[in-house]
Coordinates of all heavy atoms in Angstrom, one line a residue:
M6 N -48.4 279.7 281.3 CA -49.8 279.3 281.6 C -49.8 277.8 281.9 O -49.4 277.0 281.1 CB -50.8 279.7 280.5 CG -52.2 279.5 280.8 SD -53.3 280.0 279.5 CE -54.6 279.0 279.7
A7 N -50.4 277.5 283.0 CA -50.5 276.1 283.4 C -51.5 275.3 282.6 O -52.6 275.9 282.3 CB -50.8 275.9 284.8
V8 N -51.3 274.1 282.2 CA -52.2 273.3 281.4 C -53.1 272.5 282.5 O -52.5 271.8 283.2 CB -51.5 272.4 280.4 CG1 -52.6 271.5 279.7 CG2 -50.7 273.3 279.4
S9 N -54.3 272.6 282.4 CA -55.2 271.9 283.2 C -55.9 270.7 282.5 O -56.3 270.9 281.4 CB -56.3 272.8 283.8 OG -55.7 273.7 284.6
K10 N -55.8 269.6 283.0 CA -56.5 268.4 282.5 C -57.8 268.2 282.9 O -58.1 268.5 284.1 CB -55.6 267.1 282.8 CG -54.3 267.1 282.1 CD -53.6 265.8 282.5 CE -52.3 265.7 281.9 NZ -51.6 264.5 282.3
I11 N -58.8 267.7 282.1 CA -60.1 267.4 282.5 C -60.1 266.1 283.3 O -60.7 265.9 284.4 CB -61.1 267.5 281.3 CG1 -61.2 268.9 280.9 CG2 -62.5 267.0 281.8 CD1 -62.0 269.0 279.6
L12 N -59.5 265.1 282.7 CA -59.4 263.7 283.3 C -58.1 263.5 283.9 O -57.1 263.7 283.2 CB -59.7 262.7 282.2 CG -61.2 262.5 281.7 CD1 -61.3 261.5 280.6 CD2 -62.2 262.2 282.8
I13 N -58.0 263.0 285.1 CA -56.8 262.8 285.8 C -56.7 261.3 285.9 O -57.5 260.5 286.4 CB -56.7 263.4 287.2 CG1 -57.2 264.9 287.2 CG2 -55.5 263.2 287.9 CD1 -56.3 265.8 286.4
S14 N -55.5 260.9 285.4 CA -55.2 259.3 285.5 C -55.0 258.9 286.9 O -54.3 259.6 287.7 CB -54.0 259.1 284.6 OG -53.6 257.8 284.7
K15 N -55.6 257.8 287.2 CA -55.4 257.2 288.6 C -55.2 255.7 288.5 O -55.6 255.1 287.5 CB -56.6 257.5 289.5 CG -57.8 256.7 289.2 CD -58.8 256.8 290.3 CE -60.0 255.9 290.0 NZ -60.8 255.7 291.0
N16 N -54.5 255.1 289.5 CA -54.3 253.7 289.5 C -55.3 253.1 290.5 O -55.0 253.2 291.7 CB -52.9 253.3 289.8 CG -52.5 251.9 289.5 OD1 -53.4 251.1 289.3 ND2 -51.2 251.6 289.5
P17 N -56.3 252.2 290.1 CA -57.3 251.7 291.0 C -56.6 250.7 291.9 O -57.3 250.4 292.9 CB -58.4 251.1 290.2 CG -58.2 251.7 288.8 CD -56.7 252.0 288.7
I18 N -55.4 250.3 291.8 CA -54.7 249.3 292.6 C -54.7 249.9 294.1 O -54.8 249.1 295.0 CB -53.4 248.9 292.1 CG1 -53.5 248.0 290.9 CG2 -52.5 248.2 293.1 CD1 -52.2 247.7 290.1
F19 N -54.6 251.1 294.1 CA -54.4 251.8 295.5 C -55.7 252.2 296.1 O -55.7 252.7 297.2 CB -53.5 253.0 295.4 CG -52.1 252.6 294.8 CD1 -51.8 253.1 293.5 CD2 -51.2 251.9 295.4 CE1 -50.5 252.8 293.0 CE2 -50.1 251.5 295.0 CZ -49.7 252.0 293.7
D20 N -56.8 252.0 295.4 CA -58.2 252.2 296.0 C -58.6 251.1 296.8 O -58.0 250.1 296.9 CB -59.2 252.3 294.8 CG -59.1 253.7 294.1 OD1 -58.3 254.5 294.5 OD2 -59.7 253.8 293.1
K21 N -59.8 251.3 297.6 CA -60.3 250.3 298.4 C -61.3 249.5 297.5 O -61.9 249.9 296.6 CB -60.9 250.8 299.6 CG -62.1 251.8 299.4 CD -62.6 252.2 300.8 CE -63.6 253.2 300.5 NZ -64.1 253.8 301.9
C22 N -61.4 248.2 297.9 CA -62.3 247.2 297.2 C -63.8 247.7 297.4 O -64.2 248.1 298.5 CB -62.1 245.9 297.8 SG -63.3 244.7 297.2
P23 N -64.6 247.7 296.3 CA -66.0 248.2 296.5 C -66.9 247.2 297.3 O -67.9 247.7 297.9 CB -66.5 248.3 295.1 CG -65.5 247.6 294.2 CD -64.3 247.5 294.9
K24 N -66.4 246.0 297.5 CA -67.2 245.0 298.3 C -66.8 245.0 299.7 O -67.7 245.2 300.6 CB -67.2 243.7 297.6 CG -68.1 242.7 298.2 CD -68.0 241.3 297.5 CE -68.8 240.3 298.1 NZ -68.6 239.0 297.5
C25 N -65.5 244.7 300.0 CA -65.1 244.5 301.4 C -64.4 245.7 302.0 O -64.1 245.7 303.1 CB -64.2 243.2 301.5 SG -62.6 243.5 300.7
K26 N -64.3 246.8 301.1 CA -63.7 248.1 301.6 C -62.3 248.0 302.1 O -61.9 248.8 302.9 CB -64.6 248.8 302.6 CG -66.0 248.8 302.3 CD -66.4 249.7 301.2 CE -67.9 249.8 301.0 NZ -68.2 250.2 299.6
E27 N -61.5 247.0 301.7 CA -60.1 246.9 302.2 C -59.3 247.6 301.2 O -59.4 247.5 300.0 CB -59.8 245.4 302.2 CG -58.3 245.2 302.8 CD -58.2 243.8 303.4 OE1 -59.2 243.2 303.9 OE2 -57.1 243.3 303.4
W28 N -58.3 248.3 301.7 CA -57.3 249.1 300.9 C -56.2 248.2 300.4 O -55.9 247.3 301.0 CB -56.7 250.2 301.8 CG -57.6 251.3 302.2 CD1 -58.2 251.3 303.4 CD2 -58.0 252.4 301.4 NE1 -59.1 252.6 303.4 CE2 -58.9 253.1 302.2 CE3 -57.7 252.9 300.1 CZ2 -59.5 254.3 301.7 CZ3 -58.3 254.1 299.7 CH2 -59.2 254.7 300.4
D29 N -55.7 248.6 299.2 CA -54.6 247.9 298.5 C -54.8 246.4 298.3 O -53.9 245.7 298.3 CB -53.3 248.2 299.3 CG -52.9 249.6 299.4 OD1 -53.3 250.4 298.5 OD2 -52.2 250.0 300.3
S30 N -56.0 246.0 298.0 CA -56.2 244.6 297.8 C -56.6 244.3 296.4 O -56.7 243.1 295.9 CB -57.4 244.2 298.7 OG -58.5 244.8 298.4
L31 N -56.7 245.3 295.5 CA -57.1 245.1 294.1 C -55.9 244.9 293.2 O -54.8 245.4 293.5 CB -57.9 246.3 293.5 CG -59.3 246.6 294.2 CD1 -59.8 247.9 293.5 CD2 -60.1 245.5 294.1
H32 N -56.0 243.9 292.3 CA -55.1 243.8 291.3 C -55.6 243.5 289.9 O -56.8 243.1 289.9 CB -54.0 242.6 291.6 CG -54.6 241.3 291.6 ND1 -54.5 240.3 290.7 CD2 -55.4 240.7 292.6 CE1 -55.1 239.3 290.9 NE2 -55.7 239.4 292.1
R33 N -54.9 243.8 288.8 CA -55.4 243.6 287.5 C -55.8 242.2 287.2 O -55.1 241.2 287.6 CB -54.4 244.1 286.4 CG -54.0 245.6 286.5 CD -55.0 246.4 285.6 NE -54.9 246.0 284.2 CZ -54.2 246.6 283.3 NH1 -53.4 247.5 283.5 NH2 -54.3 246.2 282.0
S34 N -56.9 242.0 286.5 CA -57.4 240.6 286.2 C -57.4 240.5 284.7 O -57.7 241.5 283.9 CB -58.8 240.5 286.8 OG -59.2 239.2 286.5
R35 N -57.1 239.3 284.2 CA -57.2 239.0 282.8 C -58.6 239.0 282.3 O -59.6 238.6 283.0 CB -56.6 237.7 282.4 CG -55.1 237.7 282.6 CD -54.5 236.5 281.9 NE -53.1 236.3 282.4 CZ -52.6 235.4 283.2 NH1 -53.5 234.4 283.5 NH2 -51.5 235.4 283.6
A36 N -58.8 239.3 281.0 CA -60.2 239.3 280.4 C -60.4 237.7 280.1 O -59.6 237.0 279.7 CB -60.2 240.0 279.1
R37 N -61.7 237.3 280.4 CA -62.0 235.9 280.3 C -62.8 235.7 279.0 O -62.9 234.5 278.6 CB -63.0 235.6 281.5 CG -62.2 235.5 282.7 CD -63.2 235.0 283.8 NE -62.5 234.8 285.1 CZ -63.0 234.6 286.3 NH1 -64.4 234.7 286.3 NH2 -62.4 234.5 287.3
S38 N -63.5 236.6 278.4 CA -64.3 236.4 277.1 C -64.0 237.4 276.1 O -63.2 238.4 276.4 CB -65.7 236.3 277.5 OG -66.1 237.6 278.0
L39 N -64.5 237.2 275.0 CA -64.4 238.2 273.9 C -65.0 239.5 274.3 O -64.4 240.5 273.9 CB -65.0 237.6 272.6 CG -64.9 238.5 271.4 CD1 -63.5 238.6 270.9 CD2 -65.8 237.9 270.2
G40 N -66.1 239.5 274.9 CA -66.8 240.8 275.3 C -65.9 241.6 276.3 O -65.8 242.7 276.2
E41 N -65.3 240.8 277.2 CA -64.3 241.5 278.1 C -63.2 242.0 277.4 O -62.6 243.1 277.8 CB -63.9 240.6 279.3 CG -65.1 240.3 280.3 CD -64.6 239.6 281.5 OE1 -63.5 239.0 281.5 OE2 -65.4 239.4 282.4
N42 N -62.6 241.3 276.4 CA -61.5 241.8 275.6 C -61.8 243.0 274.9 O -61.0 244.0 274.9 CB -61.0 240.8 274.7 CG -60.0 239.8 275.3 OD1 -59.0 240.3 275.9 ND2 -60.1 238.5 275.0
I43 N -63.1 243.2 274.4 CA -63.5 244.3 273.7 C -63.6 245.5 274.6 O -63.2 246.6 274.4 CB -64.8 244.1 272.9 CG1 -64.6 243.1 271.8 CG2 -65.4 245.4 272.3 CD1 -65.8 242.6 271.1
I44 N -64.3 245.3 275.7 CA -64.3 246.3 276.8 C -63.0 246.8 277.2 O -62.8 248.0 277.5 CB -65.3 245.9 277.9 CG1 -66.8 245.7 277.4 CG2 -65.3 246.8 279.2 CD1 -67.7 245.0 278.4
K45 N -62.1 245.8 277.4 CA -60.8 246.2 277.9 C -60.0 247.1 276.9 O -59.1 247.8 277.4 CB -60.0 244.9 278.1 CG -58.9 245.0 279.2 CD -58.4 243.7 279.5 CE -57.2 243.8 280.5 NZ -56.6 242.5 280.8
M46 N -60.4 247.1 275.6 CA -59.7 247.9 274.7 C -59.9 249.4 274.9 O -59.2 250.2 274.5 CB -60.1 247.6 273.3 CG -59.5 246.4 272.7 SD -59.8 246.2 271.0 CE -60.6 244.6 271.0
I47 N -61.0 249.7 275.5 CA -61.3 251.1 275.9 C -60.5 251.5 277.1 O -60.6 250.9 278.1 CB -62.8 251.3 276.2 CG1 -63.7 250.8 275.0 CG2 -63.2 252.8 276.5 CD1 -65.2 250.6 275.4
P48 N -59.7 252.5 276.9 CA -58.7 252.8 277.9 C -59.3 253.5 279.2 O -58.5 253.9 280.1 CB -57.7 253.7 277.3 CG -58.4 254.4 276.2 CD -59.5 253.4 275.8
L49 N -60.6 253.7 279.3 CA -61.2 254.4 280.4 C -61.3 253.5 281.8 O -61.3 254.0 282.8 CB -62.6 254.9 280.1 CG -62.6 256.1 279.2 CD1 -64.1 256.4 278.9 CD2 -62.0 257.3 279.8
W50 N -61.3 252.2 281.6 CA -61.4 251.3 282.7 C -60.7 250.0 282.4 O -60.4 249.7 281.4 CB -62.9 251.1 283.1 CG -63.8 250.5 282.0 CD1 -63.7 249.3 281.4 CD2 -64.7 251.3 281.2 NE1 -64.6 249.2 280.4 CE2 -65.3 250.4 280.3 CE3 -65.2 252.6 281.3 CZ2 -66.3 250.9 279.4 CZ3 -66.1 253.0 280.4 CH2 -66.6 252.1 279.5
N51 N -60.5 249.2 283.5 CA -59.8 247.9 283.4 C -60.5 246.9 284.3 O -61.3 247.3 285.2 CB -58.4 248.1 283.8 CG -57.5 248.2 282.6 OD1 -57.7 247.4 281.7 ND2 -56.6 249.1 282.7
I52 N -60.2 245.7 284.2 CA -60.8 244.6 285.0 C -59.9 244.4 286.3 O -58.7 244.3 286.0 CB -61.0 243.3 284.2 CG1 -61.8 243.6 283.0 CG2 -61.8 242.3 285.1 CD1 -61.8 242.5 282.0
F53 N -60.5 244.3 287.4 CA -59.6 244.2 288.6 C -60.3 243.0 289.5 O -61.5 242.7 289.3 CB -59.6 245.5 289.5 CG -58.8 246.5 288.8 CD1 -59.3 247.4 287.9 CD2 -57.4 246.6 289.0 CE1 -58.5 248.4 287.3 CE2 -56.6 247.6 288.4 CZ -57.2 248.4 287.6
R54 N -59.5 242.4 290.3 CA -59.9 241.4 291.2 C -59.4 241.8 292.6 O -58.3 242.2 292.8 CB -59.4 240.1 290.8 CG -59.8 238.9 291.8 CD -59.2 237.6 291.4 NE -59.9 237.0 290.2 CZ -61.1 236.5 290.3 NH1 -61.7 236.3 291.5 NH2 -61.6 236.0 289.2
C55 N -60.1 241.5 293.7 CA -59.8 241.7 295.1 C -59.1 240.4 295.6 O -59.7 239.4 295.4 CB -61.0 242.1 295.8 SG -60.6 242.4 297.6
K56 N -57.9 240.6 296.2 CA -57.2 239.5 296.7 C -57.9 239.0 298.0 O -57.7 237.9 298.4 CB -55.8 239.9 297.1 CG -54.9 240.2 295.9 CD -53.5 240.6 296.4 CE -53.0 241.7 295.5 NZ -51.8 242.3 296.1
A57 N -58.6 239.9 298.7 CA -59.1 239.6 300.0 C -60.5 238.8 299.9 O -60.6 237.8 300.6 CB -59.3 240.8 300.9
C58 N -61.4 239.4 299.1 CA -62.7 238.8 299.1 C -63.1 238.1 297.7 O -64.1 237.5 297.6 CB -63.8 239.8 299.4 SG -64.0 241.1 298.1
G59 N -62.3 238.3 296.7 CA -62.6 237.7 295.4 C -63.5 238.5 294.5 O -63.8 238.0 293.4
W60 N -63.8 239.7 294.8 CA -64.6 240.5 294.0 C -63.9 240.7 292.7 O -62.7 240.9 292.6 CB -64.9 241.9 294.7 CG -65.6 242.9 293.8 CD1 -66.9 243.0 293.6 CD2 -65.0 243.8 293.0 NE1 -67.1 244.0 292.7 CE2 -65.9 244.6 292.3 CE3 -63.5 244.2 292.7 CZ2 -65.6 245.5 291.4 CZ3 -63.3 245.2 291.9 CH2 -64.4 245.9 291.2
R61 N -64.7 240.7 291.7 CA -64.1 241.0 290.3 C -64.9 241.9 289.5 O -66.2 241.7 289.5 CB -64.0 239.7 289.6 CG -63.2 239.8 288.2 CD -62.9 238.4 287.6 NE -62.2 238.4 286.4 CZ -62.7 238.7 285.2 NH1 -63.9 238.8 285.1 NH2 -61.9 238.8 284.1
G62 N -64.4 243.0 288.9 CA -65.2 244.0 288.2 C -64.4 245.0 287.6 O -63.2 244.9 287.5
Y63 N -65.1 246.1 287.1 CA -64.5 247.1 286.3 C -64.2 248.3 287.3 O -65.1 248.6 288.1 CB -65.4 247.6 285.2 CG -65.5 246.5 284.2 CD1 -66.6 245.7 284.1 CD2 -64.6 246.2 283.2 CE1 -66.9 244.6 283.3 CE2 -64.7 245.1 282.3 CZ -65.9 244.4 282.3 OH -66.0 243.4 281.4
R64 N -63.1 249.0 287.1 CA -62.8 250.2 287.8 C -62.3 251.2 286.8 O -61.5 250.9 285.9 CB -61.7 250.0 288.9 CG -62.1 248.9 290.0 CD -63.2 249.3 290.8 NE -63.1 250.4 291.7 CZ -64.0 251.1 292.3 NH1 -65.2 250.7 292.2 NH2 -63.7 252.1 293.0
F65 N -62.7 252.5 287.0 CA -62.3 253.6 286.1 C -60.8 253.8 286.4 O -60.4 253.9 287.5 CB -63.1 254.8 286.4 CG -64.3 254.8 285.6 CD1 -65.6 254.5 286.3 CD2 -64.4 255.0 284.3 CE1 -66.7 254.6 285.6 CE2 -65.6 254.9 283.6 CZ -66.7 254.7 284.2
T66 N -60.1 254.1 285.3 CA -58.6 254.4 285.5 C -58.4 255.9 285.4 O -57.2 256.4 285.4 CB -57.7 253.7 284.5 OG1 -58.2 254.0 283.1 CG2 -57.7 252.2 284.7
F67 N -59.5 256.7 285.4 CA -59.4 258.2 285.2 C -60.4 258.7 286.4 O -61.4 258.1 286.6 CB -59.8 258.8 283.9 CG -58.8 258.5 282.9 CD1 -58.8 257.4 282.1 CD2 -57.7 259.3 282.8 CE1 -57.9 257.1 281.1 CE2 -56.7 259.1 281.8 CZ -56.8 258.0 281.0
T68 N -60.2 259.9 286.8 CA -61.1 260.5 287.7 C -61.2 262.0 287.5 O -60.4 262.6 286.8 CB -60.5 260.3 289.2 OG1 -61.5 260.7 290.1 CG2 -59.2 261.0 289.5
F69 N -62.3 262.6 288.0 CA -62.5 264.0 288.0 C -62.0 264.7 289.2 O -62.1 264.0 290.4 CB -64.0 264.3 287.9 CG -64.5 264.1 286.5 CD1 -65.2 263.0 286.2 CD2 -64.3 265.0 285.5 CE1 -65.8 262.8 285.0 CE2 -64.8 264.8 284.2 CZ -65.5 263.7 284.0
T70 N -61.5 265.9 289.3 CA -61.2 266.6 290.4 C -62.0 268.0 290.4 O -62.7 268.2 289.4 CB -59.7 267.0 290.5 OG1 -59.4 267.7 289.3 CG2 -58.8 265.7 290.5
T71 N -61.8 268.8 291.4 CA -62.5 270.1 291.4 C -61.9 271.0 290.3 O -62.6 271.8 289.7 CB -62.4 270.8 292.8 OG1 -61.1 270.8 293.2 CG2 -63.2 270.1 293.8
E72 N -60.6 270.7 290.1 CA -59.9 271.5 289.0 C -60.5 271.2 287.7 O -60.7 272.1 286.8 CB -58.4 271.3 289.0 CG -57.6 272.2 288.2 CD -57.6 273.6 288.7 OE1 -57.7 273.9 289.9 OE2 -57.6 274.6 287.8
S73 N -60.9 269.9 287.5 CA -61.4 269.5 286.1 C -62.9 270.1 285.9 O -63.2 270.4 284.9 CB -61.4 268.0 285.9 OG -61.9 267.3 287.0
L74 N -63.6 270.2 287.0 CA -64.9 270.7 287.0 C -64.8 272.2 286.6 O -65.6 272.7 285.9 CB -65.6 270.6 288.3 CG -66.0 269.1 288.6 CD1 -66.7 269.0 290.0 CD2 -67.0 268.5 287.5
K75 N -63.8 272.9 287.2 CA -63.6 274.3 286.8 C -63.3 274.5 285.4 O -63.8 275.3 284.7 CB -62.4 274.9 287.6 CG -62.7 275.2 289.0 CD -61.6 275.7 289.7 CE -61.7 275.7 291.3 NZ -60.5 276.0 292.0
V76 N -62.4 273.6 284.8 CA -62.1 273.6 283.3 C -63.3 273.4 282.5 O -63.5 274.0 281.5 CB -61.0 272.6 283.1 CG1 -60.7 272.5 281.6 CG2 -59.7 273.0 283.9
I77 N -64.1 272.3 282.9 CA -65.3 272.0 282.1 C -66.3 273.3 282.1 O -66.8 273.6 281.0 CB -66.0 270.8 282.7 CG1 -65.2 269.5 282.4 CG2 -67.4 270.6 282.1 CD1 -65.7 268.3 283.1
S78 N -66.5 273.9 283.2 CA -67.4 275.0 283.3 C -66.9 276.2 282.5 O -67.6 276.9 281.9 CB -67.6 275.4 284.7 OG -66.5 275.7 285.5
L79 N -65.5 276.4 282.5 CA -64.8 277.4 281.7 C -65.1 277.2 280.2 O -65.5 278.1 279.4 CB -63.3 277.5 281.9 CG -62.6 278.4 281.1 CD1 -62.9 279.9 281.5 CD2 -61.1 278.2 281.2
Y80 N -64.9 275.9 279.8 CA -65.3 275.5 278.3 C -66.7 275.8 278.0 O -67.0 276.2 276.9 CB -64.9 274.1 278.1 CG -63.5 273.9 277.9 CD1 -62.8 272.8 278.5 CD2 -62.7 274.6 277.0 CE1 -61.5 272.6 278.3 CE2 -61.4 274.4 276.9 CZ -60.7 273.4 277.5 OH -59.4 273.1 277.3
I81 N -67.7 275.5 278.9 CA -69.2 275.7 278.7 C -69.4 277.2 278.5 O -70.0 277.6 277.6 CB -69.9 275.1 279.8 CG1 -69.9 273.5 279.7 CG2 -71.4 275.5 279.7 CD1 -70.5 272.9 280.9
V82 N -68.8 278.1 279.3 CA -69.0 279.4 279.2 C -68.4 280.0 277.9 O -69.0 280.8 277.2 CB -68.2 280.2 280.4 CG1 -68.1 281.7 280.2 CG2 -69.1 280.0 281.7
L83 N -67.2 279.5 277.5 CA -66.6 279.9 276.3 C -67.4 279.5 275.1 O -67.6 280.2 274.1 CB -65.2 279.3 276.1 CG -64.1 279.9 277.0 CD1 -62.8 279.2 276.9 CD2 -63.9 281.4 276.7
I84 N -68.1 278.3 275.1 CA -69.0 277.8 274.0 C -70.2 278.8 273.9 O -70.5 279.2 272.8 CB -69.4 276.4 274.3 CG1 -68.2 275.5 274.0 CG2 -70.6 276.0 273.4 CD1 -68.5 274.0 274.5
F85 N -70.7 279.2 275.0 CA -71.9 280.1 275.0 C -71.5 281.4 274.5 O -72.2 282.1 273.7 CB -72.5 280.2 276.4 CG -73.5 279.1 276.7 CD1 -73.3 278.1 277.6 CD2 -74.7 279.0 275.9 CE1 -74.1 277.1 277.9 CE2 -75.6 278.0 276.2 CZ -75.3 277.0 277.2
I86 N -70.4 282.0 274.9 CA -69.9 283.3 274.4 C -69.7 283.2 272.9 O -70.1 284.1 272.1 CB -68.6 283.7 275.1 CG1 -68.9 284.1 276.6 CG2 -68.0 284.9 274.4 CD1 -67.7 284.3 277.5
A87 N -69.0 282.1 272.4 CA -68.7 282.0 271.0 C -70.0 281.9 270.2 O -70.2 282.4 269.1 CB -67.8 280.8 270.7
A88 N -70.9 281.1 270.7 CA -72.2 280.9 270.1 C -73.0 282.2 270.0 O -73.6 282.5 268.9 CB -73.0 279.8 270.8
S89 N -73.0 283.0 271.1 CA -73.7 284.3 271.0 C -73.1 285.3 270.0 O -73.8 286.1 269.4 CB -74.0 284.9 272.4 OG -73.0 284.5 273.2
I90 N -71.8 285.3 269.9 CA -71.0 286.1 269.0 C -71.4 285.7 267.5 O -71.7 286.6 266.7 CB -69.5 286.0 269.2 CG1 -69.2 286.8 270.5 CG2 -68.8 286.7 268.0 CD1 -67.8 286.7 271.0
V91 N -71.4 284.4 267.2 CA -71.7 284.0 265.9 C -73.1 284.3 265.6 O -73.4 284.7 264.5 CB -71.4 282.4 265.8 CG1 -72.0 281.8 264.6 CG2 -69.9 282.2 265.8
R92 N -74.1 284.1 266.6 CA -75.5 284.3 266.4 C -75.7 285.8 266.1 O -76.5 286.2 265.2 CB -76.2 283.9 267.6 CG -77.7 284.0 267.4 CD -78.5 283.5 268.7 NE -79.9 283.7 268.5 CZ -80.7 283.7 269.4 NH1 -80.3 283.5 270.7 NH2 -82.0 284.0 269.3
F93 N -75.0 286.7 266.8 CA -75.2 288.1 266.6 C -74.6 288.5 265.2 O -75.2 289.3 264.6 CB -74.3 288.9 267.7 CG -74.3 290.4 267.5 CD1 -75.4 291.2 267.7 CD2 -73.1 290.9 267.0 CE1 -75.4 292.6 267.5 CE2 -73.1 292.4 266.7 CZ -74.2 293.1 267.0
A94 N -73.5 287.9 264.9 CA -72.9 288.3 263.5 C -73.8 287.8 262.5 O -74.0 288.5 261.4 CB -71.5 287.6 263.4
L95 N -74.4 286.6 262.5 CA -75.3 286.1 261.5 C -76.5 286.9 261.4 O -77.0 287.3 260.3 CB -75.6 284.7 261.8 CG -74.5 283.6 261.6 CD1 -75.0 282.2 262.0 CD2 -74.1 283.6 260.1
S96 N -77.1 287.4 262.6 CA -78.3 288.2 262.5 C -78.0 289.6 262.0 O -78.8 290.3 261.5 CB -79.0 288.3 263.9 OG -78.1 288.9 264.8
Y97 N -76.7 290.1 262.2 CA -76.4 291.4 261.7 C -76.1 291.5 260.2 O -76.6 292.4 259.5 CB -75.1 291.9 262.5 CG -74.7 293.3 262.2 CD1 -75.4 294.4 262.8 CD2 -73.7 293.5 261.3 CE1 -75.0 295.7 262.5 CE2 -73.3 294.9 261.1 CZ -74.0 295.9 261.6 OH -73.6 297.2 261.4
F98 N -75.5 290.4 259.7 CA -75.1 290.4 258.3 C -76.1 289.8 257.4 O -76.2 290.1 256.2 CB -73.8 289.8 258.1 CG -72.6 290.6 258.7 CD1 -71.9 290.1 259.8 CD2 -72.2 291.8 258.1 CE1 -70.9 290.8 260.3 CE2 -71.2 292.5 258.7 CZ -70.5 292.0 259.7
I99 N -77.0 288.9 257.9 CA -77.9 288.2 257.1 C -79.3 288.7 257.5 O -79.7 288.5 258.7 CB -77.9 286.7 257.3 CG1 -76.5 286.2 256.8 CG2 -79.0 286.0 256.5 CD1 -76.3 284.8 257.1
K100 N -80.0 289.5 256.7 CA -81.3 290.1 257.0 C -82.4 289.5 256.2 O -82.2 289.1 255.1 CB -81.3 291.5 257.0 CG -80.4 292.2 258.0 CD -80.4 293.7 258.0 CE -79.4 294.2 259.0 NZ -79.3 295.7 259.0
Ligands
ZN209 ZN1 -62.6 242.9 298.5

């Protein structure tokens, strides 16, 4: 059975810049303050700078795909099925 991931890792270096829309212009940037260091500890995003226009900001290092949306909806269905089985069992045995 194939294992499906919900979050797919991606490298924003190969994305286009959100300001000037140029491809392959982003590179990792160092944290400048204590607050940025704390935010950088969370592995969901990193700080990037654009070589072309100088934009600096946060980009997510994970992304969703249609496969991950299918996995999430499957988990939601399983949660509802398990909850209704537990609810039925509780109402059957506890009167
Ligand atoms: Zn740019």
Side-chain angles (χ1 to χ4, degrees):
M6 185 178 153
V8 177
S9 296
K10 293 180 181 178
I11 293 176
L12 289 175
I13 308 297
S14 173
K15 72 166 186 171
N16 194 346
I18 288 176
F19 305 111
D20 284 353
K21 61 182 177 182
C22 170
K24 188 177 176 187
C25 66
K26 311 291 183 205
E27 187 155 330
W28 290 96
D29 298 337
S30 64
L31 298 179
H32 66 98
R33 295 269 304 263
S34 181
R35 289 194 195 111
R37 288 182 176 170
S38 65
L39 179 66
E41 284 186 352
N42 269 316
I43 292 170
I44 290 173
K45 207 174 176 180
M46 280 189 237
I47 303 168
L49 287 177
W50 53 74
N51 263 316
I52 305 167
F53 290 91
R54 176 183 288 282
C55 176
K56 291 180 222 170
C58 69
W60 171 87
R61 188 170 183 276
Y63 298 97
R64 301 297 293 166
F65 279 102
T66 53
F67 290 93
T68 186
F69 284 105
T70 61
T71 52
E72 191 65 33
S73 52
L74 290 176
K75 287 179 194 171
V76 172
I77 289 172
S78 55
L79 176 70
Y80 281 132
I81 290 172
V82 167
L83 287 176
I84 286 169
F85 276 112
I86 290 172
S89 28
I90 289 172
V91 167
R92 186 175 173 201
F93 173 77
L95 286 176
S96 65
Y97 185 78
F98 290 113
I99 300 171
K100 290 182 180 177

